Amino acid sequence: MSAREVAVLLLWLSCCGSALWRYSSNSPNYRIFSTRSTIKLEYEGTLFTEWSVPETCFVLNKSSPTTELRCSSPGVHAIKPIVTGPDEEERYLFVESSHTCFLWYYRVRHFLNNLTQLITVWAYDPESADPDELLGNAEEPSINSIVLSTQMATLGQKPVIHTILKRKVYSSNEKMRRGTWRIVVPMAKDDALKEIRGNQVTFQDCFIADFLILLTFPLLTIPEIPGYLPISSPRGSQLMASWDACVVASAVLVTDMETFHTTDSFKSWTRIRVPPDILSDDERRSVAHVILLRDGIVFLINGVLYVRSFHGFIRLGGIINLPDGGITGISSRKWCWVNYLLKAKGRRSTFAVWTENEIYLGSIRLKFARLVTTTELKNILSLSVTATLTIDRVEYTGHPLEIAVFLNYCTVCTVTKKIFLVIYNEDTKQWVSQDFTLDAPIDSVTMPHFTFSALPGLLLWNKHSIYYCYHNFTFTGILQTPAGHGNLSMLSNDSIIHEVFIDYYGAILVKMENNVIFYSKINTRDAVKLHLWTNYTTRAFIFLSTSGQTYFLYALDDGTIQIQDYPLRLEAQSIAFTTKDKCPYMAFHNNVAHVFYFLDKGEALTVWTQIVYPENTGLYVIVESYGPKILQESHEISFEAAFGYCTKTLTLTFYQNVDYERISDYFETQHNHTGLVLVQFRPSEYSKACPIAQKVFQIAVGCDDKKFIAIKGFSKKGCHHHDFSYVIEKSYLRHQPSKNLRVRYIWGEYGCPLRLDFTEKFQPVVQLFDDNGYVKDVEANFIVWEIHGRDDYSFNNTMAQSGCLHEAQTWKSMIELNKHLPLEEVWGPEFL
């Protein structure tokens, strides 16, 4: 945001609500907040007198509502404005003594001809950077940044790109150009999360902070077309939004004036407009819900779905197997699982559509199929046929393959109803009723949001209260404030709940319509009220950035929007200092390097997790798993105590113990021991003051479709591909045909022929590969056959020489046994 934009935003905010104050730094997302940082103070209101700061901090202009602050000593510093009216809130700012002073800056160019991305990287000092660098708009480094990067390179600095999911590393092969490094990486939709990392090199005792980035295929916003009209929510309604779960920078926001689309976390955006001849003026102002998909933006208007895409604006209905009206809700996935295991053929859904009595699931290219009706659910769940059953909500859970359906159930539907929950697994096609029942007024509206966790957990809220269900619905209750209030409206001037935000680390923000924010953590029972950041009348929404930080988006009265970083960590620390809330442990570590592990048959996975805590508190790490019971675990615990602290380390090995040689049905056993298991590590105790509350990852057991086998020595490169064929003498063919058989060699499938002396004995060496290359030689029995039917080959050993006690299976015996099957299917592991 430019200086002029900040001034306009502050002027607009200050005239529209109560007094408040906030702070900011030059470092994006408050990533550096130290004794070296310039802290900017901003007061909104008319009662300001001066700033109250500790003696160890220096304020540039004590009597100015907008000024700068520096604190020369680390620690907790009490800051507040002195006003002529009632006292303003005092914040306790945690200022660090850090040797991390510099940040990485990057620009990306996309090359679609070879599907690569050129990342230009340089280092910059947020305390001396150009405004364009601070705003993320710079196309090249400033003079100060060129000097800094060049000096760091002289000292041995050289950044690399690490991918988070696949753990690949890319570095620059070129010399430095005008203070920049250039790194080429391939485009990848399943490995988009990356981190810029540097060497441990210091300049003036300062390091460069690692920087998390999200690099996807180029994303475009839907362009504005002249003559098209705005589409919006009803006048006076609150903001609504949707975002891509795996590309959070791609989002859509609906206000009561416009709809906005972005692909870079609203640093830039376009307005979404629709043709003037499809919707009436009232319909254009009646958006009830919105979903952002890769195929476009889906709007729910008066029970009908419409989609706005690059191809136009159309009504969805019977032509794609959806109802033409009566739709009551739509939802999409909230959590990103790039990898998952589907045993069944097909794809998982991307969003759900429902009426009072039917549920439809949609996938890419807007393909829909009806999942279930309430009549069918009554039969599945063994409910009374005379009772009233309607669909309340459909929500995707934290599991990559499961969908939760909240059902309204009543027999005499006049005063109250029961809300209960069933979960559907898209892979197994099974419905499982959960241990969850909620009594509610017949006309009540509740909204669910599942947490990112192994065991199912969710928050459910109405206008005033939050109902939590953790640990597979065994830990439940109403979220309470320290004063004992479960009604959050009582502590927010009777405002009602607008948004519930949950991140991957377990932080929970409950934003009221008047922008009062309550803070909690998953698996805890209470919430605290945070300092006021935005005035009561501003229309705002909380988003997650690609770096995992939160930011506010404001919808202004002139029909535009503005964004502002929100220091959630600092604000939570300030309240924790006030309430004397402390984290019960000092450190919580693990060596889980991936969020997705694939275990093949016979493989094992060993990981460890560690917790450090004060003596005599007895903490430990809880391990929870969710999914089919196909894995066994072995545990090993080590314990150390020194200087008043205990370190407890838990080492776990996940493995299977199935003897496939002693089973009667290979494929059924393999199918029953294949699946997806979610695993979670969490401390036995924690509080809102703890920075990280959990570690969640998947273990998929089965066949990895990215793995393949090949015979050693057969390469598809290094030989000339020409039209080559050979002839098999008819007397050598099993079926004794009347003519010789001419066979054409398929270079693309077989690769270069292996050159051998005909007197050499040949035994194939089977090698295993994945998308990273060679993995290992395969040590297993395998079968070789000649696909054209020749039978003139011979073997090196007899059965007796190989140690067989009984006659082994042979091609002759297996062909005779399975005459109805093609040659490639007559012999396999299922016949062992």
Side-chain angles (χ1 to χ4, degrees), residues 17-285:
S18 63
L20 57 91
W21 72 277
R22 64 172 72 88
Y23 54 95
S24 61
S25 76
N26 290 329
S27 174
N29 303 121
Y30 301 82
R31 296 180 67 239
I32 300 175
F33 202 78
S34 68
T35 53
R36 196 174 178 275
S37 302
T38 299
I39 303 171
K40 299 175 183 179
L41 303 178
E42 305 164 356
Y43 174 83
E44 294 179 10
T46 58
L47 305 177
F48 179 82
T49 301
E50 65 178 18
W51 291 100
S52 171
V53 301
E55 293 181 357
T56 53
C57 296
F58 169 75
V59 62
L60 188 63
N61 186 347
K62 199 172 186 178
S63 59
S64 173
T66 303
T67 188
E68 293 181 357
L69 174 75
R70 283 182 180 271
C71 295
S72 58
S73 63
V76 182
H77 300 287
I79 312 291
K80 76 170 184 177
I82 298 174
V83 297
T84 56
D87 285 347
E88 284 290 343
E89 287 184 298
E90 186 172 53
R91 281 184 168 93
Y92 296 91
L93 299 186
F94 282 65
V95 178
E96 299 176 339
S97 176
S98 173
H99 288 284
T100 300
C101 316
F102 309 135
L103 298 173
W104 291 113
Y105 192 101
Y106 76 99
R107 303 302 296 173
V108 181
R109 289 181 61 192
H110 304 281
F111 295 92
L112 296 177
N113 60 322
N114 59 1
L115 297 180
T116 61
Q117 294 165 315
L118 174 63
I119 307 173
T120 303
V121 179
W122 67 84
Y124 75 101
D125 182 353
E127 297 303 316
S128 61
D130 278 3
D132 282 342
E133 287 178 315
L134 297 178
L135 295 171
N137 299 327
E139 295 296 330
E140 58 184 24
S142 63
I143 296 298
N144 288 341
S145 297
I146 291 175
V147 172
L148 174 63
S149 298
T150 303
Q151 182 63 43
M152 295 291 278
T154 302
L155 296 171
Q157 184 59 268
K158 187 178 182 180
V160 295
I161 304 293
H162 284 249
T163 69
I164 302 301
L165 295 181
K166 294 188 176 181
R167 300 288 166 173
K168 295 183 178 180
V169 180
Y170 302 94
S171 59
S172 175
N173 296 319
E174 303 177 1
K175 290 184 178 180
M176 197 176 209
R177 298 187 187 180
R178 276 188 54 81
T180 66
W181 294 270
R182 293 153 60 91
I183 305 171
V184 177
V185 302
M187 294 182 185
K189 67 177 182 178
D190 59 350
D191 202 18
L193 196 60
K194 300 174 174 66
E195 191 171 48
I196 304 175
R197 299 178 185 174
N199 299 329
Q200 293 299 306
V201 174
T202 65
F203 176 63
Q204 297 179 346
D205 291 330
C206 283
F207 293 96
I208 307 175
D210 295 339
F211 188 43
L212 197 66
I213 62 176
L214 188 71
L215 290 182
T216 65
F217 281 80
L219 299 175
L220 301 175
T221 55
I222 297 174
E224 298 180 25
I225 299 178
Y228 277 28
L229 301 174
I231 184 169
S232 65
S233 56
R235 177 63 66 180
S237 58
Q238 290 291 318
L239 306 183
M240 65 179 76
S242 177
W243 54 91
D244 188 316
C246 291
V247 187
V248 293
S250 181
V252 61
L253 176 83
V254 179
T255 74
D256 62 356
M257 299 177 67
E258 296 276 1
T259 294
F260 302 90
H261 182 211
T262 184
T263 58
D264 59 3
S265 298
F266 292 101
K267 294 176 182 176
S268 64
W269 41 265
T270 58
R271 293 178 176 89
I272 298 300
R273 301 292 178 92
V274 298
D277 54 350
I278 296 180
L279 299 175
S280 66
D281 289 345
D282 286 341
E283 289 173 328
R284 283 193 300 104
R285 303 186 186 100

Side-chain angles (χ1 to χ4, degrees), residues 610-637:
Q610 183 182 83
I611 188 168
V612 181
Y613 56 92
E615 281 184 332
N616 302 319
T617 55
L619 300 188
Y620 54 95
V621 176
I622 296 174
V623 180
E624 296 168 324
S625 61
Y626 179 76
K629 305 302 181 184
I630 56 177
L631 287 174
Q632 292 180 295
E633 301 175 17
S634 65
H635 294 213
E636 182 179 331
I637 299 175

Side-chain angles (χ1 to χ4, degrees), residues 488-496 514 516 529 536:
L488 301 183
S489 298
M490 295 178 64
L491 298 178
S492 54
N493 297 327
D494 294 325
S495 185
I496 62 176
N514 66 354
V516 170
K529 185 178 178 181
Y536 293 145

Side-chain angles (χ1 to χ4, degrees), residues 814-822 826:
M814 298 309 294
I815 292 172
E816 186 66 25
L817 184 65
N818 299 292
K819 293 180 180 179
H820 60 291
L821 295 176
V826 299

Side-chain angles (χ1 to χ4, degrees), residues 287-301:
V287 175
H289 204 80
V290 65
I291 292 292
L292 177 65
L293 302 173
R294 300 290 172 93
D295 301 297
I297 302 170
V298 177
F299 297 96
L300 176 59
I301 300 173

Side-chain angles (χ1 to χ4, degrees), residues 364-378:
I364 58 172
R365 297 184 180 87
L366 297 176
K367 296 179 180 179
F368 289 89
R370 190 172 69 180
L371 174 65
V372 75
T373 67
T374 50
T375 301
E376 293 167 341
L377 281 173
K378 284 183 180 180

Side-chain angles (χ1 to χ4, degrees), residues 63 149 203 212 226 272 294 300 330 403 413 428 460 466 485 568 594-595 613 658 714 766 775 796:
S63 59
S149 298
F203 176 63
L212 197 66
I272 298 300
R294 300 290 172 93
L300 176 59
I330 54 178
I403 303 169
C413 305
T428 64
L460 195 68
I466 304 283
H485 293 293
L568 173 57
H594 304 273
V595 295
Y613 56 92
V658 182
F714 287 87
V766 182
V775 177
N796 297 333

